[in-house]
Amino acid sequence: MPSAKPALVVQSEQPFNGGPRVEALCREFVTPSELFFVRNHGPVPEIDRDSYRLAVSGMVAHPLRLSLVDLRTRFPRVRLQAALQCAGNRRREFMTIAPIPGEIPWGPEAIGNAEWSGWRLRDVLQAADLQAGAAHVVFTGLDRLERGGQTSGFGGSIPLDKAASPEVLVADEMNGVPLSAIHGFPLRVVVPGYIGARSVKWLGEISLQAHPSENYYQAHAYKIFSPHVRAETADWTRGLMLGELPVNAVICDPADGTVLHDRTIRLRGYAITGGGRRIERVDLTADGGRTWQQADLSAGNDPWTWTLFEARLSLTPGDYEICARARDSAAEMQPEDARTIWNFKGYVNNAWHRIRVRMTAD
Ligand SMILES: Nc1nc2c(c(=O)[nH]1)N[C@H]1C(S)=C(S)[C@@H](COP(=O)(O)O)O[C@H]1N2
Ligand SMILES: [Mo]
């Protein structure tokens, strides 16, 4: 669907994948829907609102089949601002270290911060009455993806304790209007603080089980390995399933490679972390980490949204590499060197973010 999002830089048309220009990304705290990145693994399914039912099954005493009207009448509506970040955000920087074939070369634009509305997942789970031993909540989408001769929906799971947290939603609205087809109409999961892949779109089924999802995108993809492991040598049973996001900060404006004339440079960007932690500070350096300047943070400092930052640096003429790094409320910091966290699928790059700028003498 080529015209789905004209404001996005397209990574692929089929399936549609794209994100905004990085400079446009953090101008507003709530990302306008037309600038919200899109990550699809297959074609966008067409779903009829009236015949749609959400199945809740597996280790539950009362399996459910819920229409959109059932959801509206049985559960209290909640609204929540939260960021979604793809595990592949900032993969392009990893690709300059060693090739990562077959994956989308995302810059830092595979992230957005929206206002979601819908119902608490825990309210829906409570209505289904969980059986003892249920430990993972498995989501399956209604998209049809081909993998090794088999067709199935995109899927993944989260541990039950996360699923029971109040911030995890089954959402039908994004930024005050019903979800667009491309963002998951009529219903998607929103799992703040986790990699975007767990926020399953076009949600068809929620299933309770004792172990994580066997879906390809939980059991195989979205696993992380040490830097020396390659696709050919990976023992997939030993890869770690990704869940919570690490602390990360990105300079959005100015863009990498900008030539500047004023002696003061205004930097703006975003920071995000996982696990219900908060961003405590973002620091910037123009001298390779010898001295750091603390940025101003946007108000709110909510654990599930992103935090925007802004700083002014005074620079004499010359070429600079400016780096950003954040620190969160669990005293987590970002690694300096992306090579120490490189992995062959290119996931969760949270190394110091670096841009090069030139300050001219005129
Ligand atoms: N059914 C389904 N859900 C999905 C996906 C998908 O391809 N199919 N992509 C996932 C990934 S990897 C991400 S990062 C987010 C992206 O959500 P967005 O396209 O609304 O930004 O959706 C997730 N949910
Ligand atoms: Mo993703």
Side-chain angles (χ1 to χ4, degrees):
M1 49 176 61
S3 61
K5 290 254 195 166
L8 300 190
V9 179
V10 175
Q11 295 284 356
S12 70
E13 290 282 4
Q14 280 177 341
F16 185 82
N17 283 289
R21 286 186 312 107
V22 179
E23 303 94 293
L25 186 56
C26 50
R27 288 198 189 128
E28 287 168 86
F29 186 72
V30 173
T31 310
S33 297
E34 63 273 16
L35 292 182
F36 202 99
F37 81 102
V38 176
R39 173 69 178 111
N40 292 334
H41 291 77
V44 174
E46 264 180 51
I47 300 170
D48 171 58
R49 181 194 310 266
D50 297 323
S51 56
Y52 173 80
R53 296 291 180 275
L54 170 65
V56 185
S57 63
M59 297 173 77
V60 295
H62 303 296
L64 304 172
R65 277 176 58 77
L66 299 166
S67 68
L68 294 169
V69 175
D70 293 334
L71 283 158
R72 249 172 244 140
T73 48
R74 290 184 61 172
F75 306 108
R77 179 171 285 280
V78 289
R79 265 170 227 292
L80 172 108
Q81 287 186 2
L84 278 191
Q85 182 181 215
C86 182
N89 195 32
R90 300 185 58 193
R91 180 181 286 124
R92 194 187 302 143
E93 297 159 62
F94 273 158
M95 289 171 157
T96 64
I97 298 170
I100 302 177
E103 302 290 339
I104 299 175
W106 293 114
E109 69 280 1
I111 186 170
N113 187 60
E115 179 173 287
W116 308 97
S117 172
W119 303 279
R120 291 207 160 98
L121 176 61
R122 73 171 178 199
D123 290 347
V124 177
L125 298 181
Q126 223 161 37
D129 200 0
L130 305 197
Q131 292 175 349
H136 294 268
V137 182
V138 178
F139 309 119
T140 309
L142 293 168
D143 40 355
R144 307 304 295 160
L145 309 175
E146 285 252 346
R147 278 257 148 226
Q150 288 199 342
T151 307
S152 74
F154 180 91
S157 60
I158 59 173
L160 181 57
D161 56 352
K162 176 67 178 178
S165 298
E167 72 278 5
V168 180
L169 302 189
V170 175
D172 67 336
E173 289 185 4
M174 177 184 186
N175 292 340
V177 295
L179 285 170
S180 59
I182 210 159
H183 288 296
F185 177 87
L187 223 52
R188 78 175 300 166
V189 188
V190 175
V191 188
Y194 269 47
I195 60 162
R198 307 303 177 225
S199 291
V200 172
K201 305 193 274 191
W202 314 293
L203 182 64
E205 185 177 26
I206 299 173
S207 178
L208 277 290
Q209 57 184 50
H211 46 82
S213 166
E214 295 89 353
N215 189 282
Y216 177 87
Y217 296 96
Q218 180 82 33
H220 203 76
Y222 297 105
K223 280 190 168 179
I224 195 160
F225 294 86
S226 297
H228 71 278
V229 178
R230 291 293 181 276
E232 309 76 54
T233 56
D235 172 357
W236 283 95
T237 62
R238 307 220 49 191
L240 280 186
M241 286 177 181
L242 290 168
E244 277 184 17
L245 291 169
V247 60
N248 200 0
V250 161
I251 302 165
C252 295
D253 191 14
D256 188 32
T258 302
V259 178
L260 300 148
H261 312 282
D262 299 335
R263 289 297 153 82
T264 335
I265 150 174
R266 184 172 76 143
L267 295 148
R268 288 193 293 185
Y270 68 79
I272 183 175
T273 188
R277 305 183 298 273
R278 293 161 203 278
I279 296 297
E280 291 212 319
R281 54 192 284 173
V282 175
D283 294 321
L284 296 150
T285 183
D287 57 15
R290 216 171 48 78
T291 61
W292 294 88
Q293 186 172 321
Q294 197 172 337
D296 296 324
L297 305 184
S298 57
N301 203 356
D302 181 285
W304 309 120
T305 65
W306 64 12
T307 297
L308 298 184
F309 65 85
E310 188 171 325
R312 281 167 207 278
L313 297 188
S314 299
L315 299 176
T316 53
D319 288 328
Y320 294 90
E321 183 185 69
I322 301 176
C323 308
R325 69 167 188 204
R327 175 186 171 102
D328 75 17
S329 52
E332 275 209 60
M333 302 254 278
Q334 299 176 230
E336 176 176 351
D337 186 350
R339 281 173 299 188
T340 62
I341 53 166
W342 187 94
N343 58 95
F344 73 85
K345 294 279 284 180
Y347 295 137
V348 288
N349 180 7
N350 74 328
W352 293 5
H353 187 240
R354 296 159 192 272
I355 58 162
R356 283 153 305 139
V357 296
R358 168 165 298 174
M359 186 67 75
T360 58
D362 50 277

